[in-house]
Amino acid sequence: MRLILLISLLLLSAQSLATVYRWVDEKGKVHYSDEQKNNAEAVELNENTQNNMTINTPTKINITPTTEASINYSISITSPQEEATVRDNNGAFTVSVSITPQLPRGVLMTLLVDGVITAPAQVSNIFQLTGINRGEHSLVVNAVTQSGKVLASSSPRKIFLHQASVFGPAKKSK
């Protein structure tokens, strides 16, 4: 049974190698077919008829990308003023920042008080701080990418935070 199937498949494949005919109709249109028409001529097909394509190797173009690292950003703390005295018993105050040019999307700002990040990274240029202890503090704002690279920093700003003392004036003993 397998032998008969194999022989019939071989015979069918031999018949598929039919002759191709080419002819031109009365309108001048060229036709191809496996059936012979009047005025049709047989077309010889080479067995090595292949489409060959050549792909040009890409040339490297030197483009210097404009990244946020190549732009000089200017960050300055606008409030509180240099050596300002802030009076708040809760240690709360607001820090406002000015940035030029505008930071690209994905770049955040961090606020460092005495070299320690005290507020979460944010897009807003206004920081609300609470719980800062009294005394002299240095404020610095950094523009930071999501990978942690610092693009720009403000110059340090010195402020003084005053809080009312829990200790009253000393009482004289009698």
Side-chain angles (χ1 to χ4, degrees), residues 57-130:
T57 57
T59 57
K60 186 174 181 180
I61 300 173
N62 292 328
I63 298 175
T64 54
T66 305
T67 61
E68 51 269 350
S70 64
I71 300 173
N72 291 327
Y73 294 101
S74 174
I75 301 176
S76 61
I77 299 173
T78 57
S79 173
Q81 298 297 320
E82 177 68 25
E83 296 189 358
T85 299
V86 178
R87 298 179 190 278
D88 191 286
N89 288 338
N90 296 321
F93 60 95
T94 302
V95 177
S96 299
V97 180
S98 171
I99 302 142
T100 54
Q102 183 177 356
L103 293 174
R105 180 172 287 190
V107 176
L108 302 173
M109 290 184 291
T110 58
L111 174 65
L112 287 82
V113 177
D114 300 328
V116 178
I117 297 176
T118 56
Q122 63 185 37
V123 177
S124 173
N125 61 345
I126 297 175
F127 292 90
Q128 298 287 338
L129 297 177
T130 57

Side-chain angles (χ1 to χ4, degrees), residues 23-37:
W23 78 93
V24 180
D25 66 8
E26 56 276 347
K27 296 180 182 176
K29 189 172 182 180
V30 178
H31 297 275
Y32 293 92
S33 176
D34 59 350
E35 298 176 5
Q36 186 174 5
K37 305 278 183 181

Side-chain angles (χ1 to χ4, degrees), residues 168-174:
K171 294 183 180 179
K172 295 182 182 178
S173 59
K174 292 187 185 180

